[in-house]
Amino acid sequence: MPNHHHPVVAVYPGSFDPITNGHLDLIQRCAPLVDRLVVAVLRNEHKNPLFSLAERVAMMREVLAEFPNVEVDSFDGLLVDYARDKHAQLLLRGIRAISDYEYELQMALMNRRLAPEIETMFMMAGEAYSFISSKLVKEVVGLGGNINGLVPLSVEEKLKQRFLSRV
Ligand code: PNS
């Protein structure tokens, strides 16, 4: 039974280096289903991100400004600790293909063991986005390929600037 006394809060965690139209599609699908959707950017310096945490958060706030119940935040440490701090009942993750499933299942089960009261919810982005990943987008831009339509326009500009300034 849903508990109508507590708002439904979902946390959508990720590296978002940078946000793609696949992420955006998932956020668009989830936002109407919950009271609050907290998009939580991992502070993953060890993964050597292309964009700093501040840059990733700023790009996402710009793109997500139109969604009144979506907020962008950052986190460090265990995801479930962060989710508990936010009083979230749900963790949102996207699955593109079967190949995502194994890693996602592992994480979902580990998170369930750590925090049995928090549920992981998987959603599928539209099929038009099923091949998009931040990693491939960066690789294609870096090699001079066209990424139009794969990321928001403002992010496309930032990506091009980043790679032009590296040459
Ligand atoms: O976009 P990504 O890189 O696939 O997201 C991975 C993320 C951020 C969901 C995962 O690395 C994570 O939750 N990291 C926080 C540390 C943690 O809680 N680790 C245990 C997860 S089972």
Side-chain angles (χ1 to χ4, degrees), residues 7 24 49 60 80 118 123 128-129 133 135 141:
L24 193 57
M60 293 169 78
V80 290
I118 300 178
M123 289 182 71
Y129 306 104
S133 69
K135 184 168 170 270
V141 177

Side-chain angles (χ1 to χ4, degrees), residues 73-129:
D73 191 21
S74 61
F75 80 106
D76 212 355
L78 274 184
L79 172 60
V80 290
D81 288 342
Y82 173 79
R84 277 176 171 154
D85 279 355
K86 290 280 157 186
H87 303 288
Q89 303 91 334
L90 296 172
L91 299 174
L92 171 67
R93 290 288 287 173
I95 289 197
R96 287 163 298 198
I98 286 282
S99 49
D100 287 331
Y101 176 81
E102 214 163 334
Y103 173 56
E104 293 299 331
L105 176 70
Q106 245 184 338
M107 282 205 299
L109 293 181
M110 180 63 83
N111 284 331
R112 181 184 286 166
R113 188 190 169 93
L114 296 169
E117 78 283 10
I118 300 178
E119 199 63 53
T120 299
M121 181 171 73
F122 293 108
M123 289 182 71
M124 283 72 177
E127 62 273 21
Y129 306 104

Side-chain angles (χ1 to χ4, degrees), residues 6 38 51 68 106 125 139 148 152:
H6 290 291
V38 182
F51 293 105
Q106 245 184 338
E139 184 172 323
N148 194 253

Side-chain angles (χ1 to χ4, degrees), residues 23-96:
H23 298 129
L24 193 57
D25 182 73
L26 215 71
I27 292 165
Q28 252 160 0
R29 288 172 195 279
C30 183
L33 306 176
V34 297
D35 293 299
R36 272 176 72 209
L37 177 55
V38 182
V39 184
V41 189
L42 178 69
R43 183 191 302 270
N44 51 350
E45 267 88 30
H46 60 280
K47 272 198 187 173
N48 196 19
L50 178 65
F51 293 105
S52 72
L53 179 66
E55 287 172 320
R56 283 178 277 153
V57 168
M59 279 189 271
M60 293 169 78
R61 290 212 170 120
E62 189 183 335
V63 171
L64 298 172
E66 64 184 285
F67 301 98
N69 67 334
V70 175
E71 62 196 79
V72 182
D73 191 21
S74 61
F75 80 106
D76 212 355
L78 274 184
L79 172 60
V80 290
D81 288 342
Y82 173 79
R84 277 176 171 154
D85 279 355
K86 290 280 157 186
H87 303 288
Q89 303 91 334
L90 296 172
L91 299 174
L92 171 67
R93 290 288 287 173
I95 289 197
R96 287 163 298 198

